[in-house]
Amino acid sequence: MSVQRLPTAAIAPRMSLPPEIAFLLAEGIDAHLLTRAARDAAAAGTDAATALLNAGLMEETAYYRALARRLGAPFLGGPIPFGLGLRFPDSLVAGLAPLALGSGAACVLAPRGRLIAELLNGPRRAAMPAITSPTHLREAVFAAIPGAVADHAAQDLRRHAPERSVPSEPASRWLLLLVLVLIAGLCLFAVLPAPLARAVTLTGQALFLAMTTVRLAAPIIAAPVAAEAVELLADAHLPVYTVLVALHREAAVVPDLIRGLAALDYPPAKLDIKLLIEADDAETAAALAPIALPARFEVITVPPGAPRTKPRALNAALPLARGALLTVYDAEDVPDPGQLRLAASLFARLPERTACLQGRLVIDNAGDSRLARAFALEYAGLFDVLNPALARLDVPVPLGGTSMHLRTRVLRALHGWDPWNVTEDADLGMRLALAGYAVGDLPSATIEEAPARLGPWLAQRTRWLKGLMQTSLAHGRRPLANACRLGTLEALCAAALVPGTVASALAYPVCLAYAAWRYLVAEIPAAPSFPDNLVAGVAMTLFGVGFAAMVLPTLIGCARRGWGDLAQSAPWMPVYFLLVSLAAWLALIELVRAPVRWNKTPHGLSRTSRSGRLRRRAPP
């Protein structure tokens, strides 16, 4: 935005302004704007320059140009002639980069925060560095060494923790090994004596029953959808919060996204919002270009590279995050305005071991179609019942792809997300657990839009299940070591929620058909002894328990949300999970043919909104 200027003579000769903005009086900047920035900075416990720029009271480039004049330093607003020693992310984290010989200065500096006051108050240097804005420095570094940025985003986890990343070997090799192991197991089972075979069968059934019990036990644990009374932190005590939003072909939802992020109840001076777009996404870039965004918003173009996934884009921005806390939103999200403040207040009271809080994802366009209604029911069971229960039990939680709030230092210590995993959120939940961290529940809603048509839904679900397969391969290479690291209950839950989800989805149609024939059509012969009847009895129990595990969490989730009308559709969830099974088989094929293909989900198509927070659109 443009700034208002006053004649120098009209400015009061003495004003109690912080040094980082006081010099702007001589530049003719409206004293009232500077006073407002100083007042906001005092309330937020931050520096006045950040308050001024993040509130959009002055353009970033204009501020740094004025700062350079005040310091008597050259200002670089065009091409920056970098010298040897330019590195990513070090140069951007330091805000300092070397310049080529003959550039008029040895280096270029993009100072932030209190460093600006130190420069203004300190002695004038004989060799003053050139000055530029942080945004311009970042853009210039990305343009100068795009390969280094892309390499860091794609390879940092594999370079430092290869055992926690998706295997680089072709998935077909791992699947072939798995098939051979299964065939060998079946052959061995066929030659076992009857009593031993029965014992093996009962052990497998007991294990499956134990994993299913996790879903059945979750509704017992209370998890209200609204937060209990929490003393919220005052502005001065809130940490800087980074918000990452990865965008790809999202021009349709850009206006709504910016409005939602601007509505966050958090001091602007302590917000660091980064919108990430791909280099070839001209459509989204064009939608963002005419919007005058204050300095708390930063549009980052991720350099080209492989794989083309959301986690790679997030990794490119992670080293630049200025917040002690960090969250990720999707393009179509409408988070509760108080979500960041609530998360920060909870983190301040929780032990350092709690590294993540998972928000509640709520599908808002259930009226669009039967499929969207089933999706809303599924999310109600997952995010309002199952995940809060897992967090309360302190067992691994497969995170959602959005509204997970993290301690930034922990995320960096884990080397960010796995860019080769297309369900990077669930994988991160497992890596947090393996590193000894806990995930807590954040009872704050983020409104989401569900695919209303089968094609987009199937593509999205195929990607999710393919990612769970990748996560299973990544952490299944050392099963015993990982089980010992997690503990018995934790390992059982991790197995149930990641490989167990995939295995049950793949087997569900076969088991359903067999059970329907075996127990509903054919006669069940009575065996002469109790041990011989036990296998059949447990199998029938599993049949009933499995259906209950599909339906009960959704009913409890609907009750907690007050969705009595949607609860009437809960009995149809077993039919919905047949579609999930179809997606699982497609995911298995795609895991071999296109392991890192990111099936893009279109957004901005909703026609209904239960809460009224999704914009209503006319049917196409």
Side-chain angles (χ1 to χ4, degrees):
M1 61 174 289
S2 60
V3 297
Q4 298 177 357
R5 296 180 180 273
L6 293 178
T8 305
I11 301 172
R14 293 184 181 180
M15 296 190 67
S16 179
L17 292 174
E20 62 268 24
I21 62 171
F23 74 94
L24 294 171
L25 286 170
E27 294 285 329
I29 305 302
D30 189 342
H32 296 291
L33 293 181
L34 300 181
T35 302
R36 173 183 165 186
R39 186 168 52 248
D40 291 347
T46 187
D47 66 282
T50 301
L52 179 77
L53 299 175
N54 278 20
L57 301 179
M58 185 175 184
E59 290 178 346
E60 185 186 51
T61 301
Y63 175 86
Y64 281 92
R65 192 183 297 276
L67 177 65
R69 282 195 296 267
R70 177 65 174 177
L71 295 172
F75 176 76
L76 299 182
I80 299 180
F82 291 116
L84 297 177
L86 183 66
R87 300 180 61 184
F88 179 86
D90 308 63
S91 298
L92 290 177
V93 172
L96 184 68
L99 293 177
L101 294 175
S103 301
C107 57
V108 59
L109 177 66
R112 288 183 184 274
R114 306 196 186 279
L115 177 58
I116 298 175
E118 294 175 12
L119 288 171
L120 290 166
N121 291 334
R124 290 292 181 267
R125 305 178 185 178
M128 179 66 67
I131 299 295
T132 191
S133 71
T135 296
H136 187 61
L137 180 62
R138 190 259 308 154
E139 291 173 345
V141 169
F142 271 50
I145 50 172
V149 180
D151 178 73
H152 177 91
Q155 302 298 339
D156 192 54
L157 178 61
R158 280 189 173 177
R159 191 176 291 122
H160 292 94
E163 74 282 359
R164 294 287 178 246
S165 178
V166 171
S168 56
E169 299 86 355
S172 55
R173 184 180 304 177
W174 292 94
L175 293 175
L176 178 61
L177 178 62
L178 179 61
V179 169
L180 292 176
V181 169
L182 289 175
I183 291 175
L186 289 174
C187 292
L188 179 63
F189 183 80
V191 299
L192 288 177
L196 188 56
R198 183 168 57 243
V200 171
T201 302
L202 287 171
T203 301
Q205 289 177 324
L207 183 62
F208 188 81
L209 185 61
M211 291 191 294
T212 307
T213 303
V214 173
R215 292 184 63 90
L216 285 178
I220 301 173
I221 299 174
V225 296
E228 298 176 359
V230 176
E231 185 178 351
L232 299 177
L233 294 178
D235 288 4
H237 298 131
L238 290 171
V240 176
Y241 222 117
T242 293
V243 177
L244 301 182
V245 186
L247 306 173
H248 185 49
R249 301 199 306 270
E250 298 286 8
V253 298
V254 160
D256 291 340
L257 171 66
I258 300 301
R259 276 193 292 270
L261 295 175
L264 291 172
D265 174 25
Y266 211 80
K270 290 185 171 179
L271 276 178
D272 170 35
I273 302 173
K274 300 186 187 300
L275 309 177
L276 315 175
I277 63 175
E278 297 290 340
D280 61 353
D281 189 2
E283 180 185 359
T284 305
L288 287 166
I291 303 176
L293 295 173
R296 68 181 182 273
F297 288 87
E298 185 178 9
V299 179
I300 298 178
T301 301
V302 180
R308 285 288 297 271
T309 60
K310 171 185 172 182
R312 185 186 81 98
L314 297 176
N315 283 343
L318 178 59
L320 313 180
R322 300 193 298 277
L325 300 177
L326 177 150
T327 190
V328 176
Y329 290 129
D330 284 342
E332 82 280 15
D333 286 351
V334 185
D336 183 89
Q339 189 171 111
L340 300 189
R341 189 181 293 268
L342 176 61
S345 301
L346 291 175
F347 270 123
R349 292 161 173 76
L350 290 168
E352 288 293 312
R353 180 175 172 270
T354 302
C356 177
L357 295 175
Q358 175 62 62
R360 308 284 187 88
L361 306 186
V362 180
I363 297 301
D364 199 44
N365 62 320
D368 280 9
S369 67
R370 292 182 181 272
L371 192 60
R373 189 176 301 116
F375 204 136
L377 289 167
E378 182 185 19
Y379 262 36
L382 178 60
F383 287 99
D384 288 328
V385 179
L386 182 59
N387 279 359
L390 296 175
R392 185 71 62 88
L393 293 171
D394 195 14
V395 297
V397 179
L399 301 175
T402 174
S403 299
M404 84 286 273
H405 297 254
L406 298 138
R407 299 188 193 270
T408 308
R409 62 169 183 81
V410 173
L411 185 57
R412 285 183 176 142
L414 294 179
H415 305 286
W417 294 267
D418 187 350
W420 303 92
N421 191 317
V422 297
T423 309
E424 79 293 338
D425 40 14
D427 172 72
L428 180 58
M430 294 302 105
R431 288 197 288 124
L432 283 169
L434 287 166
Y437 292 105
V439 174
D441 174 42
L442 179 63
S444 176
T446 295
I447 299 299
E448 288 220 311
E449 175 188 355
R453 295 184 295 110
L454 180 60
W457 179 93
L458 197 58
Q460 181 188 68
R461 190 54 58 102
T462 297
R463 171 169 60 83
W464 289 356
L465 288 163
K466 180 173 65 174
L468 290 182
M469 294 176 188
Q470 291 174 319
T471 303
S472 302
L473 291 177
H475 305 300
R477 287 174 288 186
R478 300 179 180 179
L480 294 180
N482 287 339
C484 291
R485 182 184 292 267
L486 291 174
T488 303
L489 177 62
E490 293 82 357
L492 179 65
C493 289
L497 297 167
V498 182
T501 296
V502 174
S504 60
L506 291 171
Y508 176 56
V510 177
C511 293
L512 181 63
Y514 175 78
W517 170 260
R518 187 78 170 77
Y519 303 123
L520 300 179
V521 178
E523 293 185 3
I524 305 176
S529 65
F530 174 77
D532 293 329
N533 283 315
L534 188 58
V535 172
V538 174
M540 286 188 285
T541 301
L542 282 174
F543 182 74
V545 167
F547 271 90
M550 293 180 196
V551 175
L552 185 60
T554 64
L555 288 173
I556 301 299
C558 285
R560 291 175 180 175
R561 287 273 160 206
W563 290 352
D565 56 332
L566 285 186
Q568 300 173 18
S569 300
W572 290 99
M573 293 305 289
V575 178
Y576 172 75
F577 280 107
L578 285 174
L579 293 177
V580 176
S581 295
L582 173 61
W585 283 102
L586 292 175
L588 187 62
I589 297 171
E590 200 170 278
L591 181 66
V592 176
R593 301 185 61 182
V596 295
R597 177 191 296 163
W598 188 275
N599 299 325
K600 175 74 175 66
T601 305
H603 300 128
L605 305 176
S606 64
R607 299 189 301 271
T608 64
S609 175
R610 293 183 65 87
S611 68
R613 295 173 67 187
L614 280 184
R615 189 174 68 186
R616 298 180 184 274
R617 297 170 176 86

